[in-house]
């Protein structure tokens, strides 16, 4: 059968006045960093972009310095590893697609930079996918190394349930890291990553509606005046 109808969850960014919940997106980054980044790259993001999530320069520098990135060639023509800098792109977990597949039973973990745009349903789908694991229904046999997921197209997915236990990620802001909370937070983070300018876009939309409402009213007033003497 096809994909199930997605369970609806509310997000702060829903609707024309939607906005990002930066605290949630920051926690979502922790989830990405501690869990998803073991398999998924986010090649379009640089560490310095985390400033826009409200992290300080120091925090960003520390996060970047925590990873080893490949740089070079140096004067001797060799590649070398060094500590990351804020200007570096997020480090990819695998050197190339072949290595990624070899580590994942032949499947390729997609880059998550714009995943909420690439999949129908966006954040709703990410949320559903992460909570959609269950035992296969009677009569369905899973292929080797595959898991049953209600919301994945075809239902057999090569990704083991990545968030399966409360407290799997350590939060620093006092929020209780239940599975549900972590799933919401990482969905928030991935939505921000795919469209950091969403708030400006929505604000512009609201202004356009106001502008055309006023313009429409003026046009109507002018029309009434111009045609006032025509009987
Ligand atoms: C696929 C998200 C952690 C391995 C995916 C997809 C998403 C996703 C959105 C695409 C599903 C689709 O094609 O519709 C996440 C998130 C994670 C996470 C948010 C962290 C919370 C991991 C980890 C691994 C992994 C830790 C490896 C141990 C894979 C693989 C696929 C995949 C192999 C391809 C599955 C297939 O095509 O059958 N993931 N993932 N993921 N992920 Fe993850």
């Amino acid at each position: 059968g096809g994909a199930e109808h997605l369970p609806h969850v509310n997000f702060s960014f829903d609707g024309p006045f939607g906005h990002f919940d930066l605290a949630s997106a920051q926690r979502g980054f922790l989830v990405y960093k501690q869990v998803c980044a073991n398999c998924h790259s986010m090649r379009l993001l640089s560490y310095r972009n985390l400033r826009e999530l409200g992290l300080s320069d120091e925090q960003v520098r520390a996060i970047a310095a925590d990873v080893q990135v490949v740089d070079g060639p140096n004067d001797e023509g060799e590649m070398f590893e060094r500590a990351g800098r804020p200007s570096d792109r997020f480090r990819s977990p695998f050197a190339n697609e072949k290595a990624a597949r070899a580590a994942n039973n032949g499947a390729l973990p997609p880059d998550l930079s714009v995943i909420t745009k690439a999949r129908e349903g966006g954040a709703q789908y990410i949320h559903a996918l992460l909570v959609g694991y269950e035992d296969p229904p009677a009569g369905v046999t899973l292929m080797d190394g595959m898991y049953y997921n209600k919301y994945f197209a075809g239902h057999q997915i090569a990704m083991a349930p990545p968030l399966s236990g409360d407290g799997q990620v350590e939060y620093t802001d006092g929020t209780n890291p239940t599975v549900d909370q972590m799933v919401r937070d990482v969905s928030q983070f991935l939505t921000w990553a795919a469209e950091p300018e969403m708030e400006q876009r929505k604000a512009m939309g609201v202004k356009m509606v106001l502008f055309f409402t006023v313009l429409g009213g003026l046009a109507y007033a002018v029309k009434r005046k111009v045609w006032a003497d025509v009987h």
Side-chain angles (χ1 to χ4, degrees), residues 2-224:
E4 303 281 309
H5 189 70
L6 303 178
H8 184 82
V9 278
N10 293 322
F11 284 108
S12 64
F13 46 79
D14 294 338
F17 302 99
H19 60 89
F20 289 122
D21 176 343
L22 292 187
S24 171
Q26 287 185 16
R27 292 190 299 271
F29 168 70
L30 288 181
V31 176
Y32 169 75
K33 181 166 101 100
Q34 291 177 31
V35 182
C36 328
N38 288 313
C39 300
H40 291 275
S41 59
M42 286 190 87
R43 270 174 277 139
L44 299 182
L45 269 82
S46 302
Y47 294 108
R48 65 182 161 74
N49 295 137
L50 296 170
R51 289 281 289 116
E52 296 150 40
L53 273 190
L55 298 186
S56 69
D57 279 332
E58 272 150 76
Q59 288 172 311
V60 170
R61 264 198 299 276
I63 289 165
D66 223 30
V67 299
Q68 289 291 306
V69 301
V70 178
D71 200 349
N74 59 15
D75 292 345
E76 283 77 50
E78 289 154 352
M79 305 301 282
F80 58 94
E81 285 211 337
R82 59 163 174 77
R85 303 183 192 120
S87 57
D88 286 319
R89 297 292 179 112
F90 277 21
R91 183 182 181 282
S92 296
F94 304 108
N96 51 49
E97 180 177 338
K98 202 170 161 211
R101 286 191 188 275
N104 286 283
N105 202 21
L108 181 67
D111 184 90
L112 296 183
S113 309
V114 291
I115 196 74
T116 60
K117 295 267 173 152
R119 293 292 184 278
E120 202 180 333
Q124 297 291 341
Y125 173 68
I126 305 297
H127 177 275
L129 182 76
L130 295 177
V131 301
Y133 288 89
E134 41 181 53
D135 292 333
V140 172
T141 314
L142 289 177
M143 286 180 289
D144 243 16
M146 300 297 266
Y147 303 83
Y148 190 85
N149 190 299
K150 259 194 298 192
Y151 303 109
F152 185 66
H155 301 311
Q156 300 211 21
I157 185 166
M159 170 169 72
L163 295 172
S164 51
D166 292 345
Q168 197 176 330
V169 173
E170 212 170 297
Y171 281 165
T172 50
D173 66 356
T175 303
N176 188 8
T178 59
V179 170
D180 186 63
Q181 187 67 48
M182 292 184 289
V183 169
R184 282 164 191 269
D185 291 341
V186 80
S187 304
Q188 178 88 223
F189 170 68
L190 292 175
T191 304
W192 167 81
E195 201 192 354
E197 73 291 357
M198 178 207 72
E199 292 179 350
Q200 288 92 307
R201 173 171 64 77
K202 290 189 172 177
M204 180 57 78
V206 170
K207 282 187 208 157
M208 298 286 271
V209 169
L210 285 174
F211 173 79
F212 283 110
T213 304
V214 171
L215 187 70
L218 276 173
Y220 182 65
V222 167
K223 178 249 168 212
R224 299 257 305 185

